[in-house]
Amino acid sequence: MSAVDRQKWNRRYRDGAYHGRTHPSAFLEECAAALPAPGRALDLACGTGRNAVYLADLGFAVDAVDISAEALAIGRARRPALTIRWLEHDLDSGFVPEAGYDVIVNIRFVNLPLLESLVPWLRPNGVMIVEQHLATAREDVIGPTNPAFRVAPGELARRLASTLAVERIQEDVLADPDGRKAALSRLLARRSPLVDGRHASAA
């Protein structure tokens, strides 16, 4: 993103955008039973940290990454005692972790090459949970009007199925918690507990 984009997001959060959105992603909650034992988690484009907080409450040590310093400051102030590292970073320039993760969450931030680059950082038996706006001709759904910020049907599975085991894929028009309709592509994929035919220890 450009400096203009950074300023735009900082201004949005400063002006109270998404102020009431403190609940975790419904899809992340639905996937809770599939999560591995608590370890390390990564929340990409975390905003004010609604999903990072949920994962920390489950016992994960979370890296919450976003371009907006304003959003991170709001998240940090909400639950200062939780085990969350709030990291300001432009994800469009990539992201190189310090160590592996047991869970990687990406909710409604589109950068599929970034997701593919993070697969090797997913620990054995680790899961990747992704929810993106789905490309659609329907006009009664919320979300970006720019098609670059929507994914084509089946694209998430095509990108990740060669390296991860896709356990759940859902593509449909669904109701958001506020009742508005959203065309969504949702995926839960897991890294094998075996690497090169052997049980591997987590990085």
Side-chain angles (χ1 to χ4, degrees):
M1 292 185 180
S2 66
V4 173
D5 291 320
R6 186 187 299 270
Q7 292 168 4
K8 175 191 74 175
W9 285 107
N10 278 333
R11 184 170 57 253
R12 283 188 182 180
Y13 284 107
R14 193 181 305 119
D15 292 344
Y18 316 113
H19 177 73
R21 192 179 293 179
T22 58
H23 54 275
S25 158
F27 184 53
L28 177 57
E29 287 187 297
E30 291 173 17
C31 293
L35 297 179
R40 297 186 72 238
L42 173 64
D43 182 10
L44 295 167
C46 65
T48 58
R50 61 193 183 113
N51 297 313
V53 166
Y54 178 76
L55 289 166
D57 279 338
L58 291 178
F60 289 89
V62 185
D63 286 347
V65 187
D66 200 273
I67 193 173
S68 171
E70 293 285 342
L72 297 174
I74 293 168
R76 188 182 295 111
R78 277 180 179 164
R79 301 288 297 277
L82 290 179
T83 310
I84 302 175
R85 292 200 311 164
W86 303 93
L87 305 175
E88 182 182 349
H89 185 78
D90 180 358
L91 290 167
D92 281 342
S93 65
F95 181 73
V96 179
E98 297 174 359
Y101 294 103
D102 301 282
V103 176
I104 296 176
V105 173
N106 177 203
I107 304 296
R108 304 192 190 186
F109 167 73
V110 180
N111 187 328
L112 300 184
L114 173 64
L115 280 184
E116 291 174 303
S117 76
L118 289 171
V119 168
W121 294 95
L122 198 60
R123 290 171 171 170
N125 201 46
V127 299
M128 185 174 284
I129 296 169
V130 186
E131 178 181 275
Q132 303 291 359
H133 286 288
L134 180 68
T136 179
R138 291 183 57 153
E139 298 180 353
D140 61 339
V141 296
I142 63 168
T145 56
N146 185 338
F149 300 122
R150 290 181 178 270
V151 298
E155 187 171 9
L156 291 181
R158 285 196 298 272
R159 291 273 190 159
L160 297 171
S162 64
T163 51
L164 300 175
V166 176
E167 296 185 357
R168 178 172 176 180
I169 183 75
Q170 179 183 22
E171 296 185 324
D172 205 348
V173 174
L174 304 166
D176 261 3
D178 61 7
R180 296 182 298 171
K181 296 178 181 177
L184 299 174
S185 178
R186 293 168 156 181
L187 174 141
L188 167 66
R190 187 180 306 272
R191 193 173 187 197
S192 170
L194 302 176
V195 177
D196 296 330
R198 303 184 306 274
H199 284 280
S201 59

